[in-house]
Amino acid sequence: FSGAYLFTLTITHLLPEALTMQAGHRIGYFVLAGFFGQLVLEVFSQGVEHGHVHHHTEHAGQVPFLLLFSLVLHSFLEGSILVKSPDAGDISQNFYAILTGVALHHIPAAFALMAALLLRLGSFRRAIPYLVVFALAGPAGIIVSNYVVLEQLLRGGAYAALLGLVAGNFLHVSTTILFETSPEHRLNLPKLAATLVGMLLALAMDWM
């Protein structure tokens, strides 16, 4: 459901808006950078973005700082595109629709991160501060974009580049979620229904 919602938002909002703000093929470079950059980040995050958790007993007792850093960076970038300004065009108008997509895909990520932290640290009390750091990364991105670097971001194509980067990121995460739900490529009606509901809900944001 979250994969379909995120994918639809990317195709119907993020990519068109980035291309409108910066004409030409250059925005495609940032989409590619975001897509393959997420591939690199997942070397460290181990797929937690899409709800995966892998337990390696040799690292028991150690805080997975690389995993946490990659998730925090991922979340911060996603939050940073959520700009409430008329100059942000379609993204500003659909602020809450995109915020919903980001939040939906962070729910399984938060569960997976907490599971990984508990497996590593063996204590809820030790794990919860790191979960809070992850939870604050997205809002921190929103605050920085809206109140710290807003003018610089909206000048000279920087915001279009950021949209392209995050769109590539979203394309990787959402398609991975969608493909992993059916690795044998068999028709699964409950999963198909959830995918269609996610897509239709994202499209409904345009019709409301």
Side-chain angles (χ1 to χ4, degrees):
F1 174 84
S2 67
Y5 187 98
L6 204 59
F7 181 79
T8 305
L9 279 181
T10 304
I11 298 300
T12 59
H13 291 293
L14 266 63
L15 284 175
E17 185 64 21
L19 290 167
T20 301
M21 295 178 75
Q22 182 173 320
H25 66 278
R26 285 180 298 170
I27 200 67
Y29 297 138
F30 292 100
V31 176
L32 287 172
F35 188 92
F36 289 104
Q38 179 59 32
L39 195 63
V40 173
L41 279 180
E42 287 184 9
V43 173
F44 306 110
S45 69
Q46 302 168 13
V48 168
E49 294 93 331
H50 3 101
H52 278 170
V53 57
H54 303 283
H55 181 36
H56 302 288
T57 54
E58 67 270 19
H59 298 301
Q62 300 174 17
V63 177
F65 285 114
L66 285 175
L67 183 154
L68 188 65
F69 171 76
S70 64
L71 285 177
V72 166
L73 178 61
H74 174 90
S75 183
F76 181 87
L77 285 173
E78 290 178 344
S80 67
I81 67 167
L82 293 165
V83 171
K84 279 290 255 181
S85 167
D87 294 329
D90 182 64
I91 304 301
S92 181
Q93 295 171 21
N94 293 279
F95 182 92
Y96 293 106
I98 296 169
L99 179 63
T100 301
V102 171
L104 280 173
H105 121 77
H106 279 178
I107 292 171
F111 276 108
L113 174 61
M114 192 59 176
L117 290 169
L118 288 173
L119 287 169
R120 286 283 195 95
L121 304 177
S123 163
F124 184 85
R125 182 178 57 82
R126 290 181 64 196
I128 197 68
Y130 300 105
L131 184 67
V132 171
V133 170
F134 168 67
L136 293 176
I142 296 174
I143 291 169
V144 170
S145 288
N146 284 274
Y147 301 106
V148 181
V149 296
L150 182 59
E151 289 185 14
Q152 298 90 323
L153 198 59
L154 295 174
R155 271 201 317 257
Y159 187 60
L162 181 62
L163 281 180
L165 194 70
V166 174
N169 187 289
F170 279 176
L171 284 173
H172 186 285
V173 171
S174 61
T175 52
T176 301
I177 292 170
L178 290 171
F179 288 130
E180 284 179 345
T181 60
S182 184
E184 296 88 11
H185 304 287
R186 294 175 185 167
L187 183 63
N188 184 311
L189 291 179
K191 289 177 181 176
L192 177 61
T195 301
L196 290 174
V197 169
M199 179 189 70
L200 291 172
L201 181 59
L203 291 173
M205 296 295 182
D206 288 333
W207 307 330
M208 291 172 62

